[in-house]
Amino acid sequence: MTAAPKTAMVLAAGLGTRMRPLTDDRPKALVEVRGRALIDHVLDRLADAGVERAVVNVHWFADRLEQHLAGRGRGPDIVISDERAELLETGGGLKKAHPLLGDDPVFVANIDSVWIDRGDALADLVRLWNSETMDAALLLARREGAIGFEGDGDFFLDDGRLTFRGEAASAPFAYMGVHITRPGYADHGPDGPFSLSPLWRKSAAEGRLFGCVLDGDWMHVGDPQARDDAEANLAGLG
């Protein structure tokens, strides 16, 4: 069985524009759902999956986020990738952080996903991952029933392999904010800010982009209404 990554990249540098006014005085990572900051939901999931070290990029209200992370009472150990000077987006952030991540495969996680697991989603992702045949393995959610996601879906899935929606009106699966990749995956991207999406499209065209589907409920916490909906959904669990 593939060993679970011990290191993660947590993408926490975004401006959180859609989350305003909740981000007028804090980064999106510190917006709370049921009394816990979004970044704590993610870091606790990663810790439970065996992650020992998390590289967190910071930009908007960076000092406040660093202070919060320093006060966490449980692992993983935190290392800061400082993007105060320039917000680098997903690809640029991964490229900048590569020297901090090491050479082994890593989890890469957004901070705006909260989910209820009926199985073990991150363990499923680890079981899927194959460094020889894949550039990235993405955790997906079914578009229907997702909370806070209003798009038309991102991907089709065929025996684990992903293709983009392209010209289709909709696709059944959305990326839910966690994947496994090599830490050097974005190294050949341009200088400055860039997205991982073009790299994924190239990998998909080469048959090297894979995914598995969450067995559970996904909440994409992208704006204040989605935050309220996520809180209501979690409150219903008792």
Side-chain angles (χ1 to χ4, degrees):
M1 178 178 172
T2 302
K6 298 297 184 185
T7 301
M9 172 83 197
V10 179
L11 299 168
L15 297 174
T17 304
R18 292 179 58 234
M19 191 64 85
R20 290 176 177 162
L22 300 179
T23 50
D24 285 347
D25 65 348
R26 71 192 64 201
K28 184 178 180 180
L30 295 186
V31 171
E32 293 187 353
V33 175
R34 293 223 79 194
R36 292 168 62 210
L38 284 169
I39 197 166
D40 289 331
H41 284 272
V42 172
L43 288 171
D44 289 349
R45 287 281 192 190
L46 293 170
D48 290 343
V51 169
E52 298 172 354
R53 189 168 180 269
V55 176
V56 180
N57 64 351
V58 299
H59 175 80
W60 184 246
F61 286 102
D63 291 350
R64 183 166 178 179
L65 181 53
E66 286 192 53
Q67 183 179 17
H68 174 87
L69 293 170
R72 272 180 55 87
R74 62 174 299 199
D77 294 335
I78 303 296
V79 178
I80 297 298
S81 181
D82 194 334
E83 295 183 19
R84 284 175 174 85
E86 184 179 27
L87 184 60
L88 294 172
E89 301 183 32
T90 53
L94 181 61
K95 179 180 177 179
K96 177 181 174 65
H98 182 184
L100 304 173
L101 293 167
D103 296 318
D104 294 330
V106 295
F107 286 110
V108 180
N110 299 342
I111 50 83
D112 55 7
S113 283
V114 177
W115 69 92
I116 299 166
D117 232 331
R118 285 190 282 273
D120 191 337
L122 297 186
D124 291 343
L125 196 61
V126 171
R127 281 190 286 269
L128 173 67
W129 170 251
N130 184 320
S131 294
E132 296 182 0
T133 61
M134 302 176 190
D135 290 333
L138 280 57
L139 190 57
L140 309 173
R142 293 173 177 82
R143 180 173 61 89
E144 298 296 333
I147 292 173
F149 180 79
E150 299 176 353
D152 295 315
D154 304 313
F155 297 106
F156 295 99
L157 181 64
D158 182 10
D159 194 28
R161 188 173 277 111
L162 296 178
T163 54
F164 276 82
R165 176 164 59 94
E167 299 299 319
S170 64
F173 301 109
Y175 174 57
M176 63 157 287
V178 184
H179 69 279
I180 297 175
T181 192
R182 298 182 302 277
Y185 180 54
D187 282 1
H188 298 295
D191 293 335
F194 66 95
S195 171
L196 284 172
S197 181
L199 303 185
W200 286 356
R201 290 180 183 277
K202 182 176 185 294
S203 293
E206 296 171 352
R208 295 184 59 85
L209 191 70
F210 283 72
C212 61
V213 182
L214 170 73
D215 180 12
D217 299 325
W218 175 46
M219 291 153 272
H220 176 238
V221 188
D223 57 44
Q225 183 60 55
R227 194 283 300 263
D228 293 347
D229 291 344
E231 288 212 326
N233 191 51
L234 293 172
L237 299 176

